[in-house]
Amino acid sequence: MFLKNIKMHGFKSFADKIEIELDKKITGIVGPNGSGKSNVVDAVRWVLGEQSVKSLRGDGSMTDVIFSGSSTRNALNVASVTLVFDNSDNYLPLAFSEISIRRRLYKDGTNEYYINNERCRLKDINDLLMDSGFAKESLNIISQGQVDQIILSKSSERRTIIEEAAGVLKYKRRKEESLRKLEKTHANMERVNDVINELEIQIGPLKEQKEKLEIYEKVVSELENLEVSLVASDITNINYQYKEKKKELDVVNEELLKIMTTTTTNEVKIEEFKNNIDKIDKEINEKQKELLDITSLVEKTNSQKNIILERQKYVVEDQKLHDNLVFLKEKKSKITNEIETNRFEIDLKEKELKEVLEEFNKENNDIQKNKQLKSNVESELYKKNRELIYHKNKIDNLRDTIDNNSSLPSSVRNILNNPKLVGIHNVIGKLIEVKEEYSIAIATALGQSANNIVVDNENIAKDAINYLKENNIGRATFFPLNIIKPKGIENNLIDMVKGIEGYLDVASNLVKYDQKYHGIISNQLGNVIIAKDVNSANRISKIINYRYRVVTLDGELFHVGGSITGGKVQNNRNIISDKYELESLIREYSNIELEIKKLEEKINEIDHYLKVHEDKHYLINKNKITIEEYIKNKLNITLDLEDNLNDALLEMKSIDNIMNKSLSEEEEKVINEYYEVVKKRDFISNELNELLRNKNNLNDTLDEFEFVFKKENSLYNSKSNIAKELEIEINRCDVKLDNLLMILNETYNTTYENATLKYKLEIPEKEARSKISRLKKELNEIGVVNLASKDEYDRISTRYNFLITQKEDLYNAENTLLEIIKEMDVIMVKKLTESFSVINKNFQETFKELFRGGNAELLLTDPSNILETGIEIVACPPGKSLKSITLLSGGEKTFTAISLLFAILKSRPVPFSILDEVEAALDESNVSAFCQYLDKFKDQTQFILITHKKKTMEYMDTLYGVTMQESGVSKLVSVKLEEIKE
């Protein structure tokens, strides 16, 4: 290893490019004072990394080393120095036989470093040269004045000479670096501890707030799932009630309209009856007045008759016969009147009987019709009761099948019915709810997957599989909640098919389920499209390039890849169809119950009408019989009267024959008038009776109508109240629906449709309401929560845990650094002790050899602390006894320093050494001794000497002269002295 070349350009006085070729022998650089020869030493020191401007004999900044110009030259903008080393012996740890180190400095202060023309850092150069023996700190480069500095420097400063010679600088550097790291670690630990302490103050309350928030979120989540599902259920129920109440209201309104129409008709009829009664009352009044008048006339006529007849007694010859004739005449007139009156009454009664018969037949027909209607309703009721029993049996059987999982494979049924297996939820088909219109499509999409069992995790699935194996009861498929991931269809594909006619939705959006099963339901149905029919499914499949399954409402299935499954399914029994068959049967059962109730009400109504009509029929029949008896009696009486009349006429005829003449004209007239008036009176009386009967009939009918009217009014009022109550109920339902929808929208930011799809009420409503009340009470007890506490705690906790880890890492790093420092100390103590002993011995020998006697040695100021001890130089030339090295002459100091240099070279040879006028203070004899001694080492160390002593020049193999022919610019001239010597 030796220095082959020194190239300079723009460094200090070397304005031009110069190159100093060197070999392994001694090279001298000479020149007059001020020529710039010492700049060569500065250049070497500079390129090796010297950062002190003062050490380079500068005054301001590092840019002072750039050629600053002269009277004939302009200043340069860059200084560059390159050292080329022969590394054929691999002295430096680089796999190159030649190594170049270059440093460039620009006017703006920018430094560039290169190793073999590759740009690098100053640290890379320092690492390369560390403990090489020729770093910038090494003793191999001694500038002017540095000799005295070695002697006169503090003892603590001299130890660096020994450290370099001992090769512990790299260990020292590592130790220093470790100490810096240790100091930095301590500072970091303090900062970390400060932050940890600060975080510990925050993390406690934040943890409490987070735990409080977690409880709050758990309660809120549970409350949301429960309340949303309950609200959705309430909306469904209330909406059903709302519709049913609307239907009831419509029915009641129709009934009210009918009642109102009937009532209006009855009102009109009642008014007619009242008007008719008023008319009859007028007629009755007139008849009564007429009867009164006629009765007076009868009395008057009777008086006249009696007077005439009494007077006539005194005129006639045969008084007795005359009286008898008068009697017979009156009897005849009386009987004739009675017959006519009876016949008139019979006519009236027959007319009345006709009316009664019509009413009787009408009531009889109504009774028969109602009986027939009742018979028909009873027949229908019988059928409906049979249907109800049939549906009940079917519901019980189907419910038993669903509850006992009878339609499931035996292996699946055994898993679900085994209480020892925990973490088993149910089969997929039982965890979803589907609208009936989508049931076939969803059942087709799921296929056999509907029987797959949902479990908590894979361990539970393993236990269930082992159970199946051990009992030899078949196979089953399990879906662990913690493993199964959701599937979906790309949004761009959905956007492409959304507008297609017949596209309905993705299957997972058409079912209701608990949100905890989202992953599984989405896994099975999230990548299936539901279409209306085959044509729309075919169009959709083509557009999505047959990448996903498409199912129609009728169950046709378009598979991935393009195959199609369809046709009539012979046995379509599955969990979903069973559920919908059960729901359908329950609905039908409820409808049948409602129909039975209506039929029973109809029968009760018919029975009521039958009872009314039968009662009325009985009364009419009774009246009919009475009238018939009356007519019969009247006819008998009339016949008797007619017989009496005939007898009276015969007797009158006999008397007339005897008397030769009848009664006088006056008697005939008065008797006829009298009985004519009586007849008229009887007719008026009968008319009056008929009017009274008609009035009574009208009053009875009016009473009946008024009774019906009152009943209709009562029914109308009752129905009106029912209508009002229904309207109130409908309004309440409306308000409730608005409130419930508002709760969904404002509290939970969802819609009813979304709520029905995603939330399912799995417990009874009463229990749910109680639980909601309890959860809301818990929320009130929890109070105000910090909604950001979870994120804040996670952030602080993460940082806290990170800092704890950092603290542990720093603690471990501190221990590691301490161990490294301890190891470095052990190595340095060993190397320093060994090196100091060798150097001290070599120094003693070299000193005696150079001074031809005397004593010298190196002493440790603190032998117990070899790592920090200073080094004192004790030197006593021959014939002198000095107490301090400072008492040595200039030449003795130089020679002592040179002795130390050679002692170090003996202990550890260096590749090259540059000495800048170190022998300047020596006389010629000592210079010769120095040069001779130098000559001993030239085979192991390359020497470059800056000198102006001729004696020294005599020992040089190569000599370079530095001149300054041009002001401020150094030039170089070389001479091979070996060739001259030869």
Side-chain angles (χ1 to χ4, degrees):
M1 174 77 186
F2 68 94
L3 180 60
K4 287 177 66 176
N5 221 321
I6 301 174
K7 300 175 184 179
M8 293 183 288
H9 179 218
F11 185 82
K12 288 196 172 182
S13 59
F14 292 100
D16 298 321
K17 291 182 180 180
I18 67 160
E19 185 174 344
I20 302 174
E21 297 266 352
L22 301 169
D23 53 23
K24 291 184 179 181
K25 298 179 181 179
I26 302 173
T27 300
I29 298 174
V30 299
N33 291 332
S35 62
K37 59 183 181 295
S38 292
N39 288 344
V40 176
V41 182
D42 292 339
V44 172
R45 192 185 293 279
W46 182 71
V47 77
L48 292 178
E50 181 62 63
Q51 299 300 310
S52 171
V53 178
K54 189 175 181 182
S55 298
L56 297 173
R57 296 178 295 135
D59 192 28
S61 64
M62 187 60 76
T63 54
D64 289 346
V65 303
I66 301 174
F67 177 70
S68 59
S70 65
S71 59
T72 58
R73 295 213 187 189
N74 293 326
L76 296 179
N77 293 322
V78 62
S80 176
V81 177
T82 304
L83 303 181
V84 181
F85 297 95
D86 183 304
N87 191 42
S88 55
D89 58 355
N90 293 323
Y91 185 85
L92 292 177
L94 284 179
F96 296 96
S97 59
E98 186 175 278
I99 296 173
S100 66
I101 298 174
R102 178 164 51 132
R103 182 178 183 181
R104 291 170 66 88
L105 175 65
Y106 296 92
K107 202 70 176 176
D108 61 359
T110 303
N111 277 287
E112 290 180 354
Y113 298 91
Y114 297 86
I115 296 177
N116 284 357
N117 293 321
E118 291 289 335
R119 191 163 179 176
C120 64
R121 302 169 298 171
L122 174 60
K123 185 177 183 298
D124 298 325
I125 294 174
N126 290 335
D127 291 343
L128 178 65
L129 302 179
M130 190 178 293
D131 285 334
S132 63
F134 60 89
K136 64 184 181 65
E137 305 94 344
S138 304
L139 196 60
N140 69 320
I141 301 175
I142 301 177
S143 303
Q144 281 181 310
Q146 196 173 355
V147 173
D148 288 340
Q149 186 179 351
I150 293 170
I151 301 301
L152 300 175
S153 63
K154 296 178 182 179
S155 61
S156 58
E157 294 173 354
R158 292 192 197 102
R159 62 177 285 104
T160 55
I161 301 170
I162 305 301
E163 287 173 347
E164 174 65 22
V168 298
L169 279 179
K170 64 180 178 182
Y171 299 107
K172 186 178 180 181
R173 288 268 181 88
R174 288 178 188 172
K175 180 181 177 180
E176 289 171 354
E177 187 176 352
S178 296
L179 287 170
R180 284 195 299 272
K181 287 181 179 178
L182 186 63
E183 185 179 353
K184 188 177 179 181
T185 300
H186 285 150
N188 288 336
M189 285 182 73
E190 287 178 4
R191 286 197 297 273
V192 166
N193 281 329
D194 289 342
V195 177
I196 286 173
N197 291 334
E198 182 182 344
L199 293 179
E200 282 177 344
I201 295 172
Q202 299 178 43
I203 203 166
L206 277 174
K207 185 178 181 182
E208 291 179 2
Q209 291 176 17
K210 179 201 170 189
E211 290 172 350
K212 186 177 180 182
L213 177 61
E214 286 175 347
I215 295 170
Y216 174 82
E217 287 178 340
K218 183 180 178 183
V219 173
V220 166
S221 176
E222 188 177 358
L223 178 61
E224 179 179 350
N225 287 330
L226 203 56
E227 188 165 27
V228 170
S229 57
L230 181 61
V231 167
S233 176
D234 284 345
I235 290 173
T236 302
N237 295 333
I238 292 170
N239 190 47
Y240 175 78
Q241 293 175 15
Y242 176 83
K243 290 179 179 177
E244 290 300 311
K245 296 292 181 186
K246 285 281 283 182
K247 288 179 184 177
E248 289 181 29
L249 181 61
D250 291 339
V251 171
V252 171
N253 282 332
E254 286 180 8
E255 291 175 352
L256 284 171
L257 185 60
K258 287 180 182 178
I259 294 169
M260 192 182 295
T261 304
T262 305
T263 303
T264 304
T265 304
N266 287 340
E267 274 186 315
V268 172
K269 286 183 178 180
I270 287 169
E271 286 301 317
E272 283 181 17
F273 281 119
K274 285 183 177 180
N275 289 332
N276 290 333
I277 289 170
D278 288 340
K279 287 179 182 178
I280 289 175
D281 281 337
K282 286 181 182 179
E283 290 179 9
I284 288 171
N285 288 331
E286 289 175 359
K287 287 294 177 185
Q288 285 177 339
K289 185 179 179 183
E290 189 177 349
L291 181 62
L292 185 62
D293 291 340
I294 200 70
T295 302
S296 297
L297 182 59
V298 167
E299 291 176 354
K300 181 180 178 182
T301 304
N302 188 40
S303 298
Q304 289 176 354
K305 181 191 72 150
N306 290 331
I307 292 170
I308 291 171
L309 290 176
E310 186 66 31
R311 188 178 61 210
Q312 195 67 21
K313 286 179 181 181
Y314 301 104
V315 177
V316 296
E317 297 176 357
D318 190 346
Q319 180 65 37
K320 186 175 180 182
L321 188 61
H322 181 268
D323 290 339
N324 191 25
L325 183 62
V326 170
F327 170 76
L328 289 172
K329 181 68 176 177
E330 285 184 332
K331 182 179 179 182
K332 172 205 167 207
S333 297
K334 184 177 180 182
I335 291 171
T336 302
N337 284 347
E338 284 183 7
I339 288 170
E340 289 181 6
T341 301
N342 284 344
R343 284 176 179 168
F344 180 76
E345 287 180 0
I346 288 169
D347 289 340
L348 290 176
K349 286 297 180 182
E350 284 179 347
K351 184 180 178 182
E352 184 181 352
L353 179 61
K354 186 179 178 182
E355 292 175 358
V356 169
L357 282 172
E358 287 177 359
E359 193 173 356
F360 176 83
N361 291 330
K362 180 178 176 297
E363 290 297 324
N364 191 53
N365 289 334
D366 287 342
I367 289 170
Q368 296 306 317
K369 285 179 182 178
N370 278 288
K371 284 182 177 180
Q372 184 60 46
L373 181 60
K374 180 180 179 182
S375 177
N376 294 337
V377 174
E378 284 177 341
S379 178
E380 185 68 21
L381 179 62
Y382 175 76
K383 290 179 183 178
K384 291 298 177 183
N385 280 319
R386 286 179 62 85
E387 285 183 30
L388 191 69
I389 293 169
Y390 171 78
H391 277 73
K392 186 177 186 308
N393 292 334
K394 203 167 180 181
I395 287 169
D396 291 341
N397 292 333
L398 196 53
R399 184 175 282 139
D400 183 65
T401 298
I402 294 171
D403 291 342
N404 296 320
N405 302 309
S406 300
S407 63
L408 297 175
S410 60
S411 55
V412 175
R413 193 163 60 250
N414 274 279
I415 293 294
L416 295 177
N417 294 337
N418 189 346
K420 293 182 180 179
L421 293 173
V422 295
I424 306 291
H425 290 256
N426 215 321
V427 291
I428 293 175
K430 281 196 170 185
L431 295 176
I432 61 174
E433 287 186 7
V434 196
K435 288 184 178 179
E436 190 170 1
E437 59 186 299
Y438 304 126
S439 60
I440 295 174
I442 297 300
T444 303
L446 283 174
Q448 290 303 312
S449 295
N451 297 334
N452 292 345
I453 303 169
V454 177
V455 296
D456 281 341
N457 52 57
E458 68 276 18
N459 293 326
I460 290 168
K462 289 176 185 176
D463 292 341
I465 290 170
N466 290 333
Y467 167 75
L468 292 174
K469 285 182 178 179
E470 290 168 2
N471 294 277
N472 194 25
I473 48 178
R475 296 164 63 85
T477 301
F478 299 89
F479 275 48
L481 281 169
N482 65 326
I483 293 179
I484 303 299
K485 303 300 179 187
K487 293 179 181 178
I489 299 173
E490 293 91 332
N491 290 331
N492 61 324
L493 290 180
I494 294 296
D495 292 338
M496 288 169 63
V497 299
K498 264 185 179 178
I500 295 176
E501 185 180 357
Y503 169 83
L504 297 177
D505 208 334
V506 176
S508 59
N509 295 335
L510 298 176
V511 298
K512 287 172 64 177
Y513 55 88
D514 194 307
Q515 281 302 294
K516 63 184 174 184
Y517 303 121
H518 171 72
I520 287 172
I521 304 305
S522 179
N523 179 276
Q524 290 298 294
L525 298 174
N527 57 354
V528 180
I529 294 173
I530 305 299
K532 185 178 180 181
D533 50 37
V534 172
N535 293 331
S536 56
N538 190 36
R539 288 195 296 271
I540 292 168
S541 295
K542 285 181 181 178
I543 289 174
I544 64 175
N545 200 22
Y546 304 100
R547 290 178 58 190
Y548 298 98
R549 289 186 296 158
V550 182
V551 184
T552 69
L553 291 178
D554 290 333
E556 285 83 13
L557 176 59
F558 287 69
H559 297 276
V560 175
S563 61
I564 305 171
T565 301
K568 181 67 176 177
V569 179
Q570 295 299 321
N571 183 12
N572 199 26
R573 287 293 299 274
N574 55 62
I575 297 170
I576 296 172
S577 64
D578 283 351
K579 284 169 66 178
Y580 273 100
E581 186 179 355
L582 177 62
E583 290 176 7
S584 178
L585 285 170
I586 290 171
R587 284 198 299 272
E588 289 177 14
Y589 185 86
S590 298
N591 291 334
I592 293 169
E593 280 188 320
L594 187 61
E595 288 177 7
I596 287 173
K597 186 178 179 182
K598 288 181 179 178
L599 289 172
E600 288 175 344
E601 289 175 354
K602 185 71 174 176
I603 289 172
N604 291 333
E605 186 178 345
I606 293 170
D607 285 339
H608 170 72
Y609 281 117
L610 267 175
K611 180 72 168 60
V612 171
H613 286 298
E614 285 174 348
D615 289 344
K616 194 172 181 181
H617 183 266
Y618 171 77
L619 293 173
I620 292 170
N621 187 48
K622 186 178 178 182
N623 188 30
K624 179 177 78 76
I625 293 169
T626 303
I627 294 172
E628 287 174 343
E629 288 293 325
Y630 179 84
I631 292 173
K632 184 179 178 182
N633 291 331
K634 280 291 182 182
L635 285 172
N636 292 330
I637 290 169
T638 302
L639 289 174
D640 291 340
L641 287 172
E642 286 176 349
D643 289 341
N644 291 332
L645 177 61
N646 290 327
D647 292 341
L649 288 173
L650 288 172
E651 190 174 354
M652 283 177 64
K653 188 175 182 182
S654 298
I655 293 172
D656 284 338
N657 291 328
I658 294 171
M659 294 182 65
N660 294 319
K661 90 182 229 182
S662 60
L663 297 177
S664 65
E665 288 182 5
E666 187 179 14
E667 287 178 317
E668 285 284 346
K669 182 180 179 181
V670 74
I671 290 171
N672 287 334
E673 285 179 0
Y674 170 75
Y675 283 101
E676 188 66 31
V677 174
V678 169
K679 177 183 173 182
K680 193 173 183 179
R681 183 197 66 187
D682 290 339
F683 272 101
I684 291 171
S685 177
N686 285 329
E687 286 177 352
L688 179 60
N689 290 332
E690 182 64 19
L691 288 172
L692 289 172
R693 185 185 69 79
N694 289 336
K695 179 182 177 182
N696 290 332
N697 289 335
L698 286 174
N699 280 325
D700 290 341
T701 307
L702 178 61
D703 290 342
E704 191 174 321
F705 271 103
E706 285 182 339
F707 175 77
V708 172
F709 181 75
K710 288 178 181 178
K711 190 176 179 182
E712 292 290 339
N713 276 339
S714 176
L715 184 61
Y716 182 85
N717 292 332
S718 175
K719 293 289 182 182
S720 296
N721 291 333
I722 292 171
K724 287 178 183 177
E725 288 176 1
L726 286 172
E727 286 175 354
I728 292 169
E729 288 296 323
I730 288 169
N731 290 332
R732 283 177 183 169
C733 289
D734 207 11
V735 172
K736 285 179 182 178
L737 285 172
D738 287 342
N739 290 335
L740 293 171
L741 289 170
M742 187 172 65
I743 289 171
L744 288 180
N745 183 32
E746 295 184 0
T747 306
Y748 297 106
N749 194 26
T750 189
T751 61
Y752 167 69
E753 291 75 15
N754 193 41
T756 55
L757 282 174
K758 293 186 177 179
Y759 297 88
K760 179 181 176 183
L761 188 64
E762 296 181 337
I763 60 175
E765 287 187 9
K766 187 176 181 182
E767 185 181 342
R769 295 186 198 284
S770 175
K771 199 169 183 180
I772 288 170
S773 177
R774 177 174 58 79
L775 290 172
K776 286 184 176 179
K777 186 177 179 183
E778 285 183 25
L779 285 180
N780 289 332
E781 290 174 354
I782 289 170
V784 179
V785 293
N786 181 3
L787 297 177
S789 60
K790 188 176 182 181
D791 293 336
E792 188 68 14
Y793 174 79
D794 290 341
R795 184 181 67 81
I796 297 293
S797 179
T798 301
R799 191 180 177 203
Y800 177 79
N801 293 329
F802 172 74
L803 290 173
I804 291 294
T805 305
Q806 288 292 97
K807 183 179 178 181
E808 292 175 359
D809 291 344
L810 289 171
Y811 180 76
N812 294 331
E814 181 184 32
N815 292 335
T816 302
L817 289 171
L818 290 172
E819 289 176 5
I820 291 171
I821 292 168
K822 188 176 180 181
E823 290 175 5
M824 295 300 103
D825 286 345
V826 170
I827 294 170
M828 287 193 292
V829 166
K830 182 180 179 183
K831 285 184 172 288
L832 284 172
T833 302
E834 292 173 353
S835 295
F836 179 78
S837 177
V838 172
I839 292 170
N840 191 22
K841 180 182 177 184
N842 291 338
F843 177 58
Q844 292 172 8
E845 293 174 355
T846 304
F847 186 86
K848 286 181 180 180
E849 200 171 339
L850 285 174
F851 278 92
R852 298 178 183 85
N855 294 304
E857 67 175 327
L858 300 173
L859 297 175
L860 298 174
T861 58
D862 187 3
S864 62
N865 188 2
I866 193 72
L867 295 175
E868 296 180 3
T869 184
I871 298 174
E872 293 287 352
I873 299 175
V874 178
C876 188
K880 293 186 178 182
S881 178
L882 302 174
K883 294 182 178 180
S884 172
I885 195 172
T886 57
L887 298 176
L888 291 172
S889 65
E892 289 172 338
K893 290 177 182 177
T894 300
F895 228 33
T896 300
I898 290 170
S899 298
L900 182 57
L901 171 63
F902 287 136
I904 292 171
L905 289 175
K906 273 186 182 182
S907 63
R908 187 190 180 195
V910 294
F912 72 93
S913 178
I914 301 177
L915 305 175
D916 185 7
E917 296 187 26
V918 295
E919 85 290 17
L922 301 178
D923 55 23
E924 284 198 10
S925 62
N926 285 335
V927 169
S928 295
F930 162 70
C931 290
Q932 290 170 4
Y933 212 84
L934 193 69
D935 199 48
K936 290 181 181 181
F937 291 96
K938 71 177 183 178
D939 292 333
Q940 61 186 24
T941 300
Q942 177 189 22
F943 288 103
I944 301 165
L945 277 73
I946 310 298
T947 184
H948 58 266
K949 282 190 176 287
K950 293 180 180 179
K951 194 68 177 175
T952 304
M953 296 179 194
E954 292 176 4
Y955 288 89
M956 302 295 104
D957 297 310
T958 301
L959 197 63
Y960 283 92
V962 179
T963 65
M964 197 170 280
Q965 297 173 352
E966 183 183 340
S967 177
V969 180
S970 298
K971 298 287 185 181
L972 190 67
V973 180
S974 65
V975 179
K976 288 285 186 177
L977 296 179
E978 283 183 341
E979 297 174 1
I980 296 172
K981 289 176 183 177
E982 291 176 357

